[in-house]
Amino acid sequence: MPPNADSPLPPPDRGFDPGPAPILPEGYDRWTRRPILFVPVMLDGQVIGVLWASKGGNAAAYQRRTAVDPDKFTRPEFWENRLDEGYRRGLPAEDAVRSWVGVDEDPRMGGVPAGTRLQEIGSEQLLWEWLNPGAPPLEEGPWIQDGEFPDGTPEDRSKGWTVPVSLNESNYASSTDTTIHYFPVTRGGPILGYLWASATEAAAGYIARPSAGVDGIRGRGLWIARLQDCHRAGRTALEAVRWCAAQPADEYAGVIEPGTPEQSASSPTELTEIAGR
């Protein structure tokens, strides 16, 4: 029997509270630990930055070349808004980057020339080092990237669960204020980069030569891996670099030609300046 007009209405059923609506992402992630696919952004004939996407992932962003673009916000915001148009259209991150190849150059923000192909590099950090040699490293970003923890364990446990592993690779320090010894790395001619070590500290590394482009950084991983092997073997940094100098040529990483004289610089900073000449 329906209640009469004077009967109070029953209270609403509050047994289920859905809570606030979930906040859905409006664009691609800006961090990745995966390899990077990228294209240069040009303005008036020079590279001012790059558009990049994580290989097989859901991250895409703009990375600036600080030497020609000290503004941290304007161009990154412009290009990332453009990329996120692709996200809203349901494009994979790689296709969002491709979609801007050949679009007319903006007079202030630049453009990607027609016919440009995606290039690959090992990580976001390596891309930053190539664009901005000698600059402080990028922040590490959020703990979970690409849906994974740093050791590769999926955030979604239904996709698997592994025993966490140590993230500390055995390696020499990547910077020093002391005198360093170095060798040029070549591959059939031009210098690709320099392998260096401190004469007195446990510090060593590889500095790509900007004029060598992607070729200068493509082989960095092998040289760093060789240094890690030497570190695990207990060699001093200088012993490690001299051992590396005796290794055979590699198709991508190049070689330190036999008989190349060992040179010195006051610090990695000075060597970075040498590499930029």
Side-chain angles (χ1 to χ4, degrees):
M1 179 177 180
N4 60 40
D6 295 327
S7 300
L9 294 174
D13 181 6
R14 302 189 184 278
F16 172 72
D17 181 3
I23 299 175
L24 300 176
E26 298 180 353
Y28 301 104
D29 297 335
R30 305 303 186 208
W31 299 91
T32 184
R33 296 188 181 94
R34 297 187 180 192
I36 294 288
L37 299 171
F38 70 96
V39 292
V41 176
M42 311 287 292
L43 181 64
D44 297 330
Q46 68 175 334
V47 176
I48 60 171
V50 299
L51 298 181
W52 65 261
S54 57
K55 188 175 182 180
N58 194 47
Y62 173 85
Q63 200 173 95
R64 67 196 175 96
R65 184 178 169 211
T66 59
V68 296
D69 185 11
D71 183 346
K72 297 180 179 180
F73 305 105
T74 305
R75 288 193 180 107
E77 182 177 12
F78 173 86
W79 282 109
E80 287 168 5
N81 284 338
R82 279 189 159 189
L83 289 173
D84 288 346
E85 290 178 21
Y87 180 90
R88 290 185 285 273
R89 289 162 51 201
L91 294 180
E94 297 173 25
D95 289 345
V97 169
R98 286 191 184 94
S99 71
W100 292 103
V101 175
V103 176
D104 291 343
E105 182 176 298
D106 183 277
R108 292 181 57 246
M109 303 300 173
V112 182
T116 301
R117 295 184 177 182
L118 290 179
Q119 302 178 63
E120 183 173 342
I121 193 168
S123 69
E124 211 176 333
Q125 179 62 45
L126 287 178
L127 182 61
W128 173 258
E129 291 175 3
W130 173 63
L131 276 174
N132 304 293
L138 289 175
E139 298 177 11
E140 293 185 2
W143 184 245
I144 297 173
Q145 297 178 30
D146 313 304
E148 297 175 344
F149 291 94
D151 65 353
T153 298
E155 179 186 14
D156 181 351
R157 297 195 183 195
S158 69
K159 297 180 180 179
W161 191 257
T162 60
V163 177
V165 297
S166 172
L167 302 178
N168 297 320
E169 290 285 354
S170 177
N171 207 353
Y172 304 97
S174 59
S175 63
T176 180
D177 294 326
T178 64
T179 298
I180 62 170
H181 292 223
Y182 68 90
F183 292 97
V185 175
T186 60
R187 194 182 67 220
I191 294 173
L192 302 180
Y194 298 92
L195 195 69
W196 64 267
S198 168
T200 57
E201 294 183 351
Y206 174 87
I207 295 175
R209 194 178 184 201
S211 62
V214 175
D215 287 341
I217 53 178
R218 183 173 288 143
R220 179 183 184 273
L222 178 59
W223 291 109
I224 296 302
R226 286 171 172 172
L227 290 175
Q228 289 174 341
D229 288 343
C230 290
H231 188 268
R232 283 189 287 267
R235 292 187 174 99
T236 68
L238 195 53
E239 289 172 344
V241 167
R242 289 170 178 169
W243 177 86
C244 289
Q247 300 310 300
D250 178 81
E251 178 182 0
Y252 297 104
V255 67
I256 297 172
E257 292 289 349
T260 299
E262 188 175 301
Q263 303 175 64
S264 63
S266 62
S267 68
T269 300
E270 182 185 4
L271 182 56
T272 297
E273 294 172 358
I274 294 171
R277 293 172 188 167

